[in-house]
Amino acid sequence: MKTSFFKLPLLLVLFYWVFNIVFVVTYCVGFDDYFFISSDMTIYQIIIKFIEQILPNFFLQSPSSFVLFTTSTLILNKYAINQINQKNIINSLFIAALITLGDIVGRLYCYPYIYEWMQAGRQYLNLNIYFFFPNYITNLLKITIGYFFIVLLTCFSIKLFNKSYMHNDNALTQNESQQLHLGLFIALYNCYFLTALFALIFLYEDMYYSYYSFRKIIIDIVGLTVFLSVVNLLGYFLLRRCFTGVTETIAFKKLVFSSIGIFLLNLLLNCLLLIVLVIFSISLINYLKYWHKISDLEIIMICFMIVVILLISSCVLVRIAVKLLFGKMDKNYQNMSV
């Protein structure tokens, strides 16, 4: 039977979303006394209220989804579980239920104590609650703790159901290893980006909003989906021939540390480049205003050029770094194979 390295993890993520939706709907119907404001609500109004509850949960679970995908891909490949069949799909369904249940219990009972502990630590260190950096670090810690629960639950659940899965004994080929390394690298890069972004979003929400509006969450989901689709598609075509030096064994530690190092370096260089481009753009706009009235279209074109330059610089940096780290086969492995 043909093996597939990413279909089972993707199914696991899909089941994770479905069970989260089931939990939200069950909670709203059975435990939320304020969900049904009046008894004469129409079906359309009820559906809209359900969507307003489900979409924020879906949006907030997107970083955890990449962690779940990466962890499940690694663990399933470790146990040689790469076949799509009824038995493996049913096991993945049970595993998704366990992960979702554990994640919900952690969010309901563990996260409040963790949050209080972090707030007490900030007060002990006498950090200003309205200062940007401590708030950002606190949000990063909260998100990272959530990742820890997801990784722990995924490893435990797959190990628990390992004997129930149908395994394959075929060793990884060089081409399959390249595909796995490419997929894991892209997933990890998405995870780092969403972690940094969501820590900033939570900071912004805590300071200015007390709830998510329906319109805002739709705009956020659509914008994030389009952006990630374009960037991931571009990243796939840029990096698909860069993992030529990988071996049949997944170098996960190297993937994790190299990808986070490349991400941080890329973030630092882009911030510096952005500062330079903004200063140059302000000077250019002031210069153009001196000679003639600058139009809104010209300002939009300047902003668009800044985005294009940042995107090109990111692509070049990531491609060069990946080729340097994964483009040459390790000498020790090369000597062993000879």
Side-chain angles (χ1 to χ4, degrees), residues 109-152:
Y109 296 101
C110 298
Y111 288 4
Y113 294 105
I114 294 171
Y115 180 75
E116 290 178 4
W117 174 77
M118 288 190 296
Q119 289 295 105
R122 289 180 57 184
Q123 292 178 0
Y124 176 77
L125 294 174
N126 196 24
L127 296 174
N128 189 352
I129 194 169
Y130 298 106
F131 188 60
F132 173 84
F133 189 70
N135 276 334
Y136 191 79
I137 296 299
T138 301
N139 290 337
L140 279 177
L141 286 174
K142 287 192 288 186
I143 295 173
T144 306
I145 290 169
Y147 292 167
F148 173 77
F149 278 107
I150 292 292
V151 172
L152 191 65

Side-chain angles (χ1 to χ4, degrees), residues 83-310:
Q83 294 180 354
I84 298 294
N85 51 52
Q86 184 178 2
K87 189 176 183 180
N88 288 356
I89 292 174
I90 292 175
N91 286 329
S92 298
L93 184 67
F94 286 127
I95 287 174
L98 284 176
I99 294 172
T100 307
L101 180 62
D103 186 34
I104 290 170
V105 171
R107 277 186 283 167
L108 290 177
Y109 296 101
C110 298
Y111 288 4
Y113 294 105
I114 294 171
Y115 180 75
E116 290 178 4
W117 174 77
M118 288 190 296
Q119 289 295 105
R122 289 180 57 184
Q123 292 178 0
Y124 176 77
L125 294 174
N126 196 24
L127 296 174
N128 189 352
I129 194 169
Y130 298 106
F131 188 60
F132 173 84
F133 189 70
N135 276 334
Y136 191 79
I137 296 299
T138 301
N139 290 337
L140 279 177
L141 286 174
K142 287 192 288 186
I143 295 173
T144 306
I145 290 169
Y147 292 167
F148 173 77
F149 278 107
I150 292 292
V151 172
L152 191 65
L153 290 166
T154 305
C155 295
F156 172 77
S157 301
I158 294 177
K159 188 174 182 180
L160 182 65
F161 282 85
N162 180 32
K163 294 182 180 179
S164 301
Y165 272 104
M166 186 176 292
H167 302 74
N168 57 288
D169 298 326
N170 298 330
L172 284 176
T173 64
Q174 185 72 10
N175 184 47
E176 291 173 341
S177 180
Q178 291 177 19
Q179 293 177 5
L180 269 173
H181 280 82
L182 173 61
L184 289 173
F185 183 87
I186 292 176
L188 286 169
Y189 214 85
N190 278 273
C191 180
Y192 303 145
F193 170 75
L194 288 176
T195 302
L197 177 65
F198 271 61
L200 187 61
I201 289 175
F202 293 155
L203 175 66
Y204 183 71
E205 293 295 329
D206 290 341
M207 292 174 64
Y208 297 103
Y209 294 97
S210 59
Y211 63 95
Y212 283 95
S213 65
F214 182 70
R215 181 181 177 183
K216 182 179 182 300
I217 201 68
I218 290 290
I219 294 173
D220 288 344
I221 290 176
V222 172
L224 187 62
T225 302
V226 172
F227 175 78
L228 289 180
S229 299
V230 172
V231 171
N232 286 332
L233 187 63
L234 183 62
Y236 171 78
F237 285 106
L238 281 172
L239 302 177
R240 61 177 178 166
R241 300 186 185 278
C242 294
F243 292 88
T244 55
V246 296
T247 64
E248 285 81 358
T249 304
I250 298 178
F252 187 69
K253 290 182 180 179
K254 185 178 180 181
L255 267 175
V256 171
F257 290 110
S258 62
S259 57
I260 195 170
I262 294 171
F263 175 79
L264 293 175
L265 179 62
N266 193 9
L267 186 64
L268 177 62
L269 292 180
N270 275 323
C271 287
L272 295 176
L273 183 59
L274 179 62
I275 293 172
V276 173
L277 290 174
V278 168
I279 294 174
F280 174 77
S281 300
I282 292 174
S283 302
L284 178 63
I285 291 172
N286 291 331
Y287 176 78
L288 292 174
K289 281 183 177 180
Y290 180 79
W291 292 104
H292 68 284
K293 185 178 180 180
I294 188 170
S295 64
D296 294 336
L297 180 61
E298 289 175 323
I299 296 177
I300 292 174
M301 289 179 62
I302 292 173
C303 294
F304 178 75
M305 288 303 300
I306 291 175
V307 174
V308 171
I309 293 172
L310 291 175

